Amino acid sequence: VIKEGDVQWMTAGAGIIHEEFHSEAFSKNGGMFEMVQLWVNLPAKDKNTPARYQHLAKENIPVVALPDNTGHLRLIAGDYEGVKGAAETFTEMNVWDVVVNAGKEAVISVPANHSLSLVVLRGNVTLNGKDQAGAGQLVGFENGGGEVRIAAGSEEVKILLLSGVPIAEPVVGYGPFVMNTAEEIREAINDFNSGRFGSIH
């Protein structure tokens, strides 16, 4: 059961079949529903690792205050100022749920060997004193790491910060399958059709 603020972290690896649905109460009553689904690639050497599921309950995801009351961040994965995130990952990465308070500017550093993207979930931001982004927008940065300045306007801003060491391998995707070559995709589809991924009961 996934509650508000929880994260489910699935490692598909050698194959996983999953199905998600709303609770009966939510289906009847409705309400605000906000979620983000991210796909994280695995290096070729780990593509066929056994499938795995990590439930990251809200209370087990570390929250760190940003300096000078500028906001806070939840460490879903990665490291920040010596605090380790909740998820166990195959490659070095950061997945941070960042809130910047209204009228404040947060300065966040990422390692120089990481690629960096931000997803704006709510509010409007000014990045590095010049570039604007709003809710629903993805912002990519040139490689090189360093500091990024995230300024909120008159309302609180919520973003996902995504950074990591590039895997630097070919990526081929088809439907829910992600591999390194088209031949590996065909093999995965054959494995699925042959029942080797298991079944939902």
Side-chain angles (χ1 to χ4, degrees):
V1 176
I2 308 300
K3 297 178 181 175
E4 181 180 353
D6 290 358
V7 174
Q8 59 175 351
W9 191 289
M10 280 182 276
T11 301
I16 189 169
I17 297 176
H18 65 99
E19 182 178 28
E20 292 133 352
F21 50 89
H22 301 306
S23 68
E24 187 176 337
F26 188 87
S27 296
K28 284 181 180 177
N29 301 324
M32 178 62 71
F33 185 80
E34 179 185 67
M35 65 163 282
V36 175
Q37 184 182 67
L38 302 171
W39 288 45
V40 178
N41 193 21
L42 287 174
K45 68 182 181 59
D46 296 316
K47 282 282 199 287
N48 287 312
T49 192
R52 180 177 181 208
Y53 180 85
Q54 298 174 68
H55 178 78
L56 311 179
K58 178 181 179 179
E59 58 268 22
N60 295 328
I61 299 173
V63 179
V64 178
L66 296 172
D68 304 319
N69 194 35
T70 55
H72 63 271
L73 59 83
R74 294 196 318 144
L75 279 89
I76 296 167
D79 294 276
Y80 178 79
E81 300 292 329
V83 179
K84 183 170 176 11
E88 294 181 23
T89 66
F90 281 79
T91 56
E92 182 183 321
M93 71 180 71
N94 294 313
V95 179
W96 298 341
D97 184 5
V98 182
V99 170
V100 179
N101 295 329
K104 299 285 188 175
E105 181 179 72
V107 180
I108 299 176
S109 296
V110 297
N113 62 336
H114 281 209
S115 61
L116 172 64
S117 296
L118 302 179
V119 181
V120 183
L121 300 178
R122 285 199 297 272
N124 296 294
V125 295
T126 301
L127 300 168
N128 295 329
K130 54 181 180 168
D131 297 314
Q132 308 286 318
Q137 291 188 302
L138 170 69
V139 180
F141 292 79
E142 292 180 4
N143 289 346
E147 292 183 344
V148 58
R149 291 183 290 124
I150 305 167
S154 58
E155 295 179 339
E156 175 185 277
V157 166
K158 184 177 175 72
I159 66 168
L160 271 180
L161 182 147
L162 310 169
S163 78
V165 176
I167 295 174
E169 295 175 354
V171 176
V172 178
Y174 181 83
F177 301 100
V178 180
M179 301 298 282
N180 295 98
T181 67
E183 178 57 32
E184 289 171 342
I185 292 284
R186 286 189 287 272
E187 290 172 7
I189 292 171
N190 185 53
D191 286 346
F192 175 81
N193 290 335
S194 300
R196 288 192 278 273
F197 283 16
S199 59
I200 294 175
H201 299 284

